[in-house]
């Protein structure tokens, strides 16, 4: 038997060994209580703290935890976070729902802009933006209900560490796995959720029953259910939720409960770690930036215009028919490059190239698009690959975005090339260098029509194939070579009537623009030195 008394003036209470161990573990026998353990102390009473048996059973921190654990602690840091969320929405975002482009402009997560422009500060800012007031309200309510208890059970500096880890974990995993634009504090909510669940699991044996039911019986099932709901609904950034949940859970697994370890000896190291993260985000902006490697292999340039395009950009559109090919790609942040190559029925007018594009192509585009306003600059003459070109800069206004579009229009005989660069106006300065680099590397090569005609003229030495070759040269902008090919063929086959007919047609089509004297000829007029000497009859072969 073991005798226990509070002080010498009180009678001693007899306890068996099991009861003594139970009371010592529960803190019912205090260190200053007097204990007589005949097998150890004989008839003498000593302070309980002097017994090795008692010291092995009594853990003051755990007893304090059991006695004083509660959640009634003002969550100042959580309230501050909610205040920052509200201030961001109502002041920075204007308090109104925003579209995707507006959210990106305010700082939402955009993987493309982070990797291409080094805007790694979005790892933090994206967590504080919200799509709508309802989005903000839902996250604020969840954060208060979960952040308050979590802040109460951890030291405030540790809670700040959980918040920082959740913010970064949310956007890092989302940026790596989800290319779509996203924003919101839900990743932070899941991080706090994970921290609360880890706390409950780690301390489930010493938590009072009602708190054990809350942290294990309520927090864990509800967090898993919320994660499932996110996967069941379209348009939810579940990678962000998962990143916040993992980051908050892992961080909390290394942090002690506030009541067990009130003093933080590692505070300087934690502050140093947070500072290192901030410096890493700042240093990331110094990494090489740009659209990445340009490649000519994104599309097949049948019309002879080769445009180098970013290898990592997404294909948006590709179409081909007998005379036209179009291709477009973009980076997912509203930055796009479009290419159109068209073989016209007549030579493309070079002198009015820019004006014709504005009056014909842009006008047709306005009729079929949702453009609400258009501001067009004066066309600027240029030259690309030895061909006449015009550069037209326009601003396009839609319902929620102003974009800047730069059109490079190129004339090459019968081929009409248009390369367009479209970018949100606020992003325009960031992509000027990339667009200039693409324009500088564009190549104008032999069209498929000419390559095929050359091959067939070599393999089939007939008037018909040489006439096709002449037409292909003219289409590719080399009218002189086309006429020379016809003259050589006429010398070889003087009785063939198709060759002069083709020559007439080429001169007539060129004459619709101007003749050698600068005069616009009549439909039947041809250049004197190349005027056909025939009555228009044709042989049995079809004209090319």
């Amino acid at each position: 038997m073991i005798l226990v008394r509070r002080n010498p003036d009180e009678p001693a209470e007899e306890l068996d060994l099991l009861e003594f161990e139970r009371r010592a573990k529960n803190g019912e026998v205090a260190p200053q209580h007097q204990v007589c353990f005949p097998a150890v102390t004989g008839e003498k009473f000593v302070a309980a703290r002097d017994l090795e048996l008692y010291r092995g059973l009594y853990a003051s921190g755990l007893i304090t935890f059991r006695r004083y654990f509660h959640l009634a602690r003002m969550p100042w840091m959580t309230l501050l976070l909610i205040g920052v969320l509200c201030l961001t929405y109502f002041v920075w975002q204007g308090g109104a729902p925003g579209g995707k482009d507006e959210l990106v402009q305010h700082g939402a997560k955009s993987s493309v802009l982070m990797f291409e422009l080094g805007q790694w500060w979005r790892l933090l800012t994206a967590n504080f933006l919200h799509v709508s007031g309802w989005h903000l309200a839902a996250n604020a309510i969840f954060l208060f209900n979960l952040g308050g208890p979590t802040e109460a059970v951890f030291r405030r500096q540790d809670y700040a560490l959980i918040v920082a880890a959740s913010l970064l974990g949310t956007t890092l995993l989302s940026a790596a796995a989800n290319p779509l634009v996203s924003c919101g504090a839900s990743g932070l909510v899941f991080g706090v959720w994970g921290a609360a669940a880890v706390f409950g699991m780690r301390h489930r044996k010493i938590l009072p029953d009602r708190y054990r039911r809350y942290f294990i019986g309520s927090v864990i099932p509800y967090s898993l259910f919320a994660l499932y709901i996110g996967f069941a609904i379209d348009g939810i950034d579940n990678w962000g939720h998962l990143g916040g949940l993992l980051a908050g859970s892992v961080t909390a697994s290394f942090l002690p409960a506030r009541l067990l370890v009130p003093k933080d000896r590692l505070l300087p190291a934690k502050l140093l770690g947070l500072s290192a993260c901030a410096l890493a985000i700042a240093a990331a902006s110094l990494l090489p930036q740009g659209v990445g490697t340009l490649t000519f292999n994104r599309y097949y340039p049948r019309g002879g215009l080769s445009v180098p395009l970013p290898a990592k950009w997404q294909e948006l559109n590709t179409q081909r028919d007998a005379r036209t090919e179009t291709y477009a790609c973009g980076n997912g942040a509203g930055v796009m490059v479009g290419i159109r190559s068209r073989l016209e029925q007549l030579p493309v007018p070079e002198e009015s190239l820019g004006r014709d594009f504005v009056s014909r192509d842009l006008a047709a585009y306005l009729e079929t698009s949702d453009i609400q306003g258009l501001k067009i600059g004066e066309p600027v003459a240029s030259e690309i690959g030895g061909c006449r070109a015009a550069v037209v800069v326009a601003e396009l206004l839609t319902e929620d975005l102003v974009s800047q579009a730069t059109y490079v229009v190129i004339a090459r005989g019968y081929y009409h090339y248009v390369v367009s660069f479209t970018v949100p106006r606020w992003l325009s300065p960031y992509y000027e260098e990339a667009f200039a680099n693409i324009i500088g590397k564009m190549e104008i090569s032999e069209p498929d029509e000419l390559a095929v005609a050359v091959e067939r003229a070599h393999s089939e030495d007939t008037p018909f194939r040489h006439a096709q070759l002449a037409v292909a040269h003219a289409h590719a902008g080399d009218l002189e070579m086309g006429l020379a090919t016809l003259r050589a063929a006429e010398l070889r086959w003087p009785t063939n009537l198709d060759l002069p007919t083709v020559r007439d047609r080429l001169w007539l089509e060129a004459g619709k623009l101007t003749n050698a004297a600068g005069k616009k000829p009549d439909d039947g007029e041809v250049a004197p030195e190349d005027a056909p000497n025939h009555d228009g009859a044709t042989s049995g072969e079809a004209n090319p």
Side-chain angles (χ1 to χ4, degrees):
M1 299 297 292
I2 301 175
L3 301 177
V4 179
R5 64 187 183 188
R6 294 179 180 273
N7 54 65
D9 298 331
E10 292 186 1
E13 183 180 3
E14 292 186 359
L15 304 175
D16 59 26
L17 182 59
L18 292 178
E19 180 64 16
F20 177 78
E21 290 179 351
R22 187 190 68 80
R23 292 192 182 187
K25 289 180 179 179
N26 292 334
E28 297 176 21
V29 178
Q32 68 274 15
H33 288 180
Q34 294 184 339
V35 177
C36 175
F37 191 2
V40 178
T41 65
E43 300 295 328
K44 184 180 178 181
F45 279 86
V46 298
R49 70 172 69 90
D50 295 333
L51 291 176
E52 184 177 353
L53 171 64
Y54 177 82
R55 291 196 300 269
L57 297 172
Y58 182 84
S60 59
L62 296 179
I63 293 171
T64 302
F65 185 92
R66 289 193 187 97
R67 283 185 176 179
Y68 299 106
F69 180 85
H70 62 84
L71 300 179
R73 187 188 187 204
M74 183 61 71
W76 294 113
M77 191 170 293
T78 301
L79 292 175
L80 177 62
L81 282 171
I82 294 174
V84 172
L85 295 179
C86 294
L87 193 65
T88 302
Y89 181 75
F90 289 105
V91 177
W92 176 242
Q93 294 183 246
K100 183 185 75 172
D101 296 293
E102 186 178 353
L103 290 171
V104 172
Q105 189 171 354
H106 281 107
K109 186 223 77 180
S110 172
S111 303
V112 172
L113 300 185
M114 291 161 69
F115 286 103
E116 288 188 356
L117 303 183
Q119 295 181 349
W120 294 102
W121 43 265
R122 295 179 183 273
L123 289 173
L124 297 176
T125 59
N127 295 277
F128 295 94
L129 301 175
H130 287 85
V131 175
S132 65
W134 288 109
H135 188 203
L136 169 65
N139 282 336
I141 291 172
F142 279 118
L143 182 59
F144 180 78
N145 288 333
L146 292 165
T150 306
E151 183 178 350
V153 301
F154 288 103
R155 296 172 301 200
R156 282 206 166 94
Q157 59 269 29
D158 290 343
Y159 180 66
L161 201 62
I162 292 171
V163 169
S166 301
L167 295 177
L168 292 176
T170 296
T171 42
L172 277 173
L173 186 57
S174 177
N178 178 20
L180 301 179
V181 172
S182 63
C183 64
S186 53
L188 170 60
V189 172
F190 273 90
V192 173
W193 234 328
V198 167
F199 174 85
M201 292 299 296
R202 288 179 63 193
H203 302 96
R204 61 187 181 277
K205 293 183 179 180
I206 60 174
L207 276 172
D209 290 342
R210 60 174 179 152
Y211 293 118
R212 183 164 57 249
R213 287 193 297 269
Y214 170 75
F215 282 104
I216 297 178
S218 297
V219 170
I220 294 178
Y222 197 68
S223 62
L224 295 176
F225 176 73
L227 194 63
Y228 165 76
I229 291 296
F231 280 101
I233 299 176
D234 293 333
I236 303 297
D237 187 2
N238 294 294
W239 287 108
H241 291 174
L242 192 59
L245 181 64
L246 291 175
S249 301
V250 171
T251 304
S253 64
F254 294 98
L255 300 175
R258 175 176 59 88
L259 290 177
L260 291 178
V261 186
K263 294 183 179 180
D264 190 359
R265 297 179 180 178
L266 297 177
L267 181 59
K270 293 173 182 177
L271 293 176
L272 184 62
L274 290 175
S275 301
C277 288
L279 288 175
I281 293 174
S285 62
L286 302 178
L287 295 175
Q289 302 171 12
V291 297
T293 304
L294 299 180
T295 177
F296 287 96
N297 299 325
R298 292 298 301 266
Y299 75 104
Y300 181 73
R302 186 180 63 182
L305 175 65
S306 298
V307 181
L309 298 172
K312 295 183 179 180
W313 283 16
Q314 307 164 2
E315 180 179 300
L316 302 177
N317 179 43
T318 179
Q319 293 181 352
R320 293 179 185 271
D321 58 33
R323 306 183 72 87
T324 306
E325 60 180 353
T326 59
Y327 183 87
C329 65
N331 67 354
V335 184
M336 295 173 286
V337 177
I339 304 165
R340 190 194 69 193
S341 173
R342 184 166 61 201
L343 178 60
E344 304 285 3
Q345 297 289 344
L346 297 172
V348 179
E350 295 182 353
E351 298 300 328
S352 59
L353 184 60
R355 295 191 300 273
D356 290 346
F357 171 76
V358 171
S359 61
R360 184 183 67 177
D361 296 81
L362 277 186
Y365 175 65
L366 282 176
E367 293 179 359
T368 59
S369 67
D370 59 350
I371 300 296
Q372 298 179 349
L374 179 66
K375 180 181 178 182
I376 304 175
E378 189 68 22
V380 177
S382 182
E383 182 177 308
I384 294 178
C387 298
R388 292 286 294 273
V391 179
V392 179
V393 179
E395 288 189 357
L396 312 176
L397 175 63
T398 59
E399 184 176 354
D400 57 356
L401 179 67
V402 178
S403 297
Q404 178 175 302
T406 301
Y407 301 95
V408 180
V409 190
I410 306 171
R412 180 196 188 185
Y414 289 64
Y415 284 95
H416 188 231
Y417 305 136
V418 179
V419 182
S420 63
F421 303 91
T422 307
V423 58
R425 186 172 62 180
W426 69 277
L427 279 177
S428 177
Y430 299 104
Y431 283 91
E432 286 180 352
E433 183 178 350
F435 289 164
N437 192 26
I438 291 174
I439 293 174
K441 293 183 177 181
M442 288 195 304
E443 298 177 357
I444 296 180
S445 57
E446 185 178 73
D448 271 10
E449 179 194 29
L450 180 56
V452 171
V454 169
E455 181 180 350
R456 288 178 176 175
H458 284 302
S459 60
E460 301 177 32
D461 192 18
T462 64
F464 176 69
R465 293 305 182 192
H466 282 265
Q468 281 188 323
L469 178 59
V471 171
H473 277 300
H475 284 175
D478 196 346
L479 179 61
E480 292 184 3
M481 178 60 73
L483 295 174
T485 301
L486 287 172
R487 284 194 293 268
E490 286 183 79
L491 292 176
R492 295 180 60 192
W493 296 285
T495 60
N496 185 280
L497 299 182
D498 279 340
L499 297 173
T501 301
V502 173
R503 179 162 52 87
D504 283 357
R505 194 187 78 193
L506 293 180
W507 269 114
L508 284 170
E509 291 173 352
K512 290 182 182 294
L513 301 177
T514 180
N515 60 16
K519 175 185 174 183
K520 187 173 182 180
D522 297 327
D523 287 346
E525 183 180 348
V526 295
E529 65 272 20
D530 288 292
N533 185 17
H534 66 284
D535 58 5
T538 61
S539 67
E541 291 187 277
N543 288 330

